[in-house]
Amino acid sequence: MTAPPALTALHATPLDLGGRTALVTGAAGGIGRACTLRLAAAGAKVRAVDRDGAGLEALAESSRDLPGTVEPHVLDLTDLDAAELAATGTDVLVNNAGLQLVRPIEEFPPDVFHTVLTVMLEAPFRLIRGALPHMYGQGWGRVVNVSSVHGLRASAYKSAYVAAKHGLEGLSKTTALEGAAHGVTSNCVSPGYVRTPLVEKQIADQARAHGIPEERVLSEVLLQDTAVKRLIEPEDVAEAVAYLCGPRASFVTGTSLVLDGGWTAH
Ligand SMILES: NC(=O)c1ccc[n+]([C@@H]2O[C@H](COP(=O)([O-])OP(=O)(O)OC[C@H]3O[C@@H](n4cnc5c(N)ncnc54)[C@H](O)[C@@H]3O)[C@@H](O)[C@H]2O)c1
């Protein structure tokens, strides 16, 4: 039996970002790369921002056969004026770039704390600030902030990261309240541990901070509070981002889409 036409159309509505421009930060890396490819697969013209020029070139190469386009834009997001300018005229903004240092507070270098807050909180503010006038002008825009379960829960030895992500969740909610009257939604996507270089790089630091061998870090530290005992893939996170940009998500704003394998169910 075939479904009535109206129902078929409702359930088959694909994500179509043809004619839309998107900006993704941290696009050369794991989640940002997956988000860029997902949005380009939906037809968007994606401005791919990262400080890693070689990574961006590889990404552009991988995107060749997709319906949309990927434009590499090499930029260090600590240059806040340049970040704000780069966001001008974009319809979809994905604030994703991030970095991590695992260290007790009394040993945490203040300059690294400052850099983490700059890249992961102040740059998103400046990018949103740069993007909103165009979004407001056309009455449509999507801001997606790649936060973390660490935007909702703390872990020891991650003071800068947890502070930045909690701040990002607040910035996202404020953006939602201000943007609602202009057709702009703002949400966080908040994953648990994702299989990316950012996680691989922190294994040694975690082992040192917790005083355990590296091979025990995954099960005893990273996945300790997670009911589903595995890492999540970058493509799963990108699909959540795509949903928030899609035609059925216009009422979803000021919230966090949590992909944490049950971590926050505790
Ligand atoms: N991997 C995880 O387990 C996980 C979990 C939750 C949230 N997140 C978040 O997802 C986002 C992406 O993380 P990922 O795991 O893909 O990391 P990643 O290290 O693979 O990618 C991060 C990207 O950000 C870029 N970047 C860092 N500093 C920059 C700067 N100053 N200017 C421009 N680009 C810069 C890097 O070059 C890199 O390409 C981050 O915000 C991270 O906090 C990751």
Side-chain angles (χ1 to χ4, degrees):
M1 198 179 98
T2 52
L7 194 62
T8 308
L10 182 70
H11 287 277
T13 309
L15 178 64
D16 180 4
L17 294 176
R20 298 281 189 204
T21 60
L23 186 152
V24 179
T25 68
I31 296 170
R33 180 184 161 85
C35 289
T36 302
L37 293 173
R38 180 65 184 91
L39 297 179
K45 183 174 160 187
V46 189
R47 205 173 303 161
V49 171
D50 207 293
R51 62 180 171 184
D52 172 5
L56 288 180
E57 287 306 325
L59 168 67
E61 185 63 30
S62 307
S63 71
R64 265 208 185 155
D65 297 330
L66 297 176
T69 55
V70 173
E71 292 174 3
H73 186 111
V74 180
L75 175 64
D76 190 318
L77 290 165
T78 57
D79 183 344
L80 296 169
D81 290 337
E84 182 167 333
L85 193 63
T88 311
T90 192
D91 304 317
V92 173
L93 170 62
V94 181
N95 279 313
N96 165 77
L99 61 158
Q100 176 68 276
L101 181 71
V102 180
R103 209 57 62 83
I105 291 172
E106 66 277 19
E107 293 169 22
F108 207 100
D111 61 319
V112 178
F113 189 93
H114 178 72
T115 303
V116 170
L117 268 287
T118 303
V119 173
M120 292 172 55
L121 185 54
E122 205 166 348
F125 163 70
R126 296 292 294 270
L127 284 147
I128 291 169
R129 192 171 189 275
L132 286 183
H134 167 74
M135 293 178 178
Y136 285 4
Q138 68 180 4
W140 192 91
R142 294 287 176 266
V143 177
V144 183
N145 300 297
V146 180
S147 177
S148 163
V149 74
H150 285 112
L152 309 165
R153 297 285 187 277
S155 289
Y157 314 128
K158 293 188 172 179
S159 54
Y161 188 90
V162 169
K165 292 301 193 191
H166 275 66
L168 185 65
E169 298 267 349
L171 173 65
S172 183
K173 287 182 202 172
T174 304
T175 307
L177 296 185
E178 295 185 17
H182 305 277
V184 174
T185 66
S186 175
N187 292 286
C188 285
V189 168
S190 304
Y193 284 102
V194 189
R195 193 186 309 281
T196 72
L198 185 133
V199 165
E200 285 153 20
K201 280 184 230 153
Q202 69 177 272
I203 301 274
D205 274 358
Q206 288 275 20
R208 205 173 313 116
H210 288 270
I212 58 172
E214 286 188 24
E215 56 273 18
R216 283 169 45 196
V217 167
L218 189 64
S219 60
E220 291 181 27
V221 180
L222 304 189
L223 300 180
Q224 191 190 27
D225 295 321
T226 306
V228 181
K229 297 290 182 193
R230 62 171 170 79
L231 299 174
I232 172 172
E233 302 300 325
E235 291 73 19
D236 297 334
V237 182
E239 204 52 43
V241 172
Y243 163 70
L244 290 169
C245 298
R248 294 282 157 200
S250 60
F251 206 66
V252 182
T253 196
T255 193
S256 302
L257 189 42
V258 182
L259 293 85
D260 69 351
W263 184 335
T264 53
H266 285 284

